[in-house]
Amino acid sequence: MTEAVADIALIGLAVMGQNLILNMNDHGFVVCAYNRTTDKVRAFLDNEAKGTKVVGAFSLEEMVAKLKKPKRVMLLVKAGSAVDAFIDKLVPLLSAGDIIIDGGNSEYQDTERRTKDLDAKGILFVGSGVSGGEEGARYGPSLMPGGNPKAWPHIKPIFQAICAKADGEPCCDWVGETGAGHFVKMVHNGIEYGDMQLICEAYHVMRDGLGLGNEEMSNVFTEWNKGELDSFLIEITSNILKYKDEKGYLLERIRDTAGQKGTGKWTAISALDYGVPVTLIGESVFARCLSALKTERIEASSVLLGPNTKYQADKKQFLEHLRKALYASKIISYAQGFMLLREAAKIHNWNLNYGGIALMWRGGCIIRSAFLGNIKLAFDKNPKLTNLLLDDFFAKAMKDCQASIRVAVSTAVNLGIPTPALSTALAFYDGYRAPRLPANLLQAQRDYFGAHTYELLGQEGKFVHTNWTGHGGNVSASTYDA
């Protein structure tokens, strides 16, 4: 009979899976490694895992037999049908109280469904966001577990041991029920899209507007990383800009068409579903889509005219405006992300700890940055905060930066350089602070052509219709809401 020696099993021996196993091993946990292609198990045991306590299994039956109770199985396989296929094979081998953890980038609706389906069978399911890439997995990722709360006490010692630490605090805590963990990871990835696009726009303005060289731009990002913009993405941007090989600067030879795996798109779709104006992430997704139209863009560049000017004023002064514009836009992106989390929590009855989420993102993950500590403090001070922009720290930051973002965006417009994320950040800021928007005209238009009704100021809750032309009827639409 096989002896139960392993604390946890991990299925999926791609880079992330292998590194998480080695990370768990470093922290004293015995891990059983399994892969659908069993040759990979043997290769892993003979190479990367050689000399460790890692054990292998060459069938799911053998893997489950090697696990201590409650049996904990973590999946790091491609999201979608592969996860369901493994769950179907595992359920007959597990008992009530055993735990399945999905650490892939699954859609949160799938995690909701799996949590409920498995709970009915007595199996505890966890959908956990894992961020930090290859290095994070090996030395400390940010982990965002959600699902069946009964599983948390059994996985907490492992997860909080292997995750990144920020000021001694683990970048991992229980997020919430059903799909909450994967929803939070999805929003994290959406914010990541926004951060990356904002940095790319700043680079575009520096390169094509100011005419700066790679070393100069690298030095600018290095300086920016010493202050409010201190973050992983600013740091790696500085390194990327100055990286050279035998042919010169590598960045200038990389094709300007961006890929995506879908999580930014899922964030934008959720924002539309829930009616939350997460405009910056949406623009970041569309910017990647536009970049993919490379052939069309080359053709258009010879047909469509734009300004043919270079920046003539003080570059050093403008770079400070650009730095502040990037900082303000980043604040707006996070504010929008937390608006989406709040709305989803309301709809799904998740009890999300927003300050805790900010702390989870402070280390290990791709969006780790200095000001996440300020987000944590904002929610500690006021757990019912409706929007980050209304917190004293962030309101003051926007007051200090809003003039600069106007300079940066208007300068880019005059130079013919697209800044969709910076521009939409400013548009959202001005829209959010406007006590009166032109939606009164929009409502009048809707009522004019479709009898969709409107509310009068001071008579909120009472919907009325006007026969604008004298030819329309007095009957209003009641079910059509567009």
Side-chain angles (χ1 to χ4, degrees), residues 58-75:
F58 297 90
S59 70
L60 287 174
E61 289 79 4
E62 183 190 354
M63 181 196 79
V64 170
K66 286 186 175 177
L67 288 170
K68 299 173 189 169
K69 290 285 289 175
K71 296 175 189 284
R72 292 164 284 209
V73 180
M74 187 165 184
L75 300 169

Side-chain angles (χ1 to χ4, degrees), residues 95-163:
S95 310
D98 289 342
I99 299 159
I100 298 174
I101 306 155
D102 174 16
N105 262 338
S106 289
E107 288 198 64
Y108 75 95
Q109 295 102 324
D110 285 344
T111 305
E112 281 191 284
R113 168 178 58 79
R114 289 166 186 150
T115 306
K116 289 168 184 167
D117 289 352
L118 288 170
D119 187 43
K121 295 170 183 169
I123 308 290
L124 312 180
F125 187 74
V126 173
S128 179
V130 179
S131 179
E134 191 178 330
E135 193 175 319
R138 181 67 186 87
Y139 300 108
S142 168
L143 298 170
M144 299 153 246
N148 194 320
K150 292 182 206 151
W152 179 231
H154 303 291
I155 63 170
K156 181 179 179 179
I158 301 175
F159 272 37
Q160 292 198 335
I162 67 168
C163 70

Side-chain angles (χ1 to χ4, degrees), residues 341-364:
L341 289 175
R342 182 171 286 284
E343 186 61 25
K346 201 190 301 176
I347 288 166
H348 295 278
N349 291 318
W350 294 334
N351 183 23
L352 298 185
N353 176 350
Y354 302 104
I357 290 166
L359 183 65
M360 279 182 249
W361 292 347
R362 279 191 69 193

Side-chain angles (χ1 to χ4, degrees), residues 7-121:
D7 299 298
I8 188 169
L10 195 142
I11 298 174
L13 294 181
V15 173
M16 289 290 284
Q18 290 193 16
N19 283 338
L20 266 184
I21 289 171
L22 296 173
N23 184 349
M24 290 175 187
N25 178 78
D26 288 349
H27 288 87
F29 300 103
V30 177
V31 189
C32 182
Y34 176 79
N35 198 80
R36 192 167 50 90
T37 314
T38 51
D39 290 351
K40 273 198 169 183
V41 180
R42 177 61 59 209
F44 179 55
L45 295 175
D46 289 346
N47 294 284
E48 294 85 359
K50 197 170 184 177
T52 68
K53 289 187 196 164
V54 176
V55 296
F58 297 90
S59 70
L60 287 174
E61 289 79 4
E62 183 190 354
M63 181 196 79
V64 170
K66 286 186 175 177
L67 288 170
K68 299 173 189 169
K69 290 285 289 175
K71 296 175 189 284
R72 292 164 284 209
V73 180
M74 187 165 184
L75 300 169
L76 268 175
V77 298
K78 193 176 178 186
S81 58
V83 177
D84 285 320
F86 269 114
I87 290 171
D88 289 344
K89 287 174 187 163
L90 283 167
V91 167
L93 307 176
L94 298 174
S95 310
D98 289 342
I99 299 159
I100 298 174
I101 306 155
D102 174 16
N105 262 338
S106 289
E107 288 198 64
Y108 75 95
Q109 295 102 324
D110 285 344
T111 305
E112 281 191 284
R113 168 178 58 79
R114 289 166 186 150
T115 306
K116 289 168 184 167
D117 289 352
L118 288 170
D119 187 43
K121 295 170 183 169

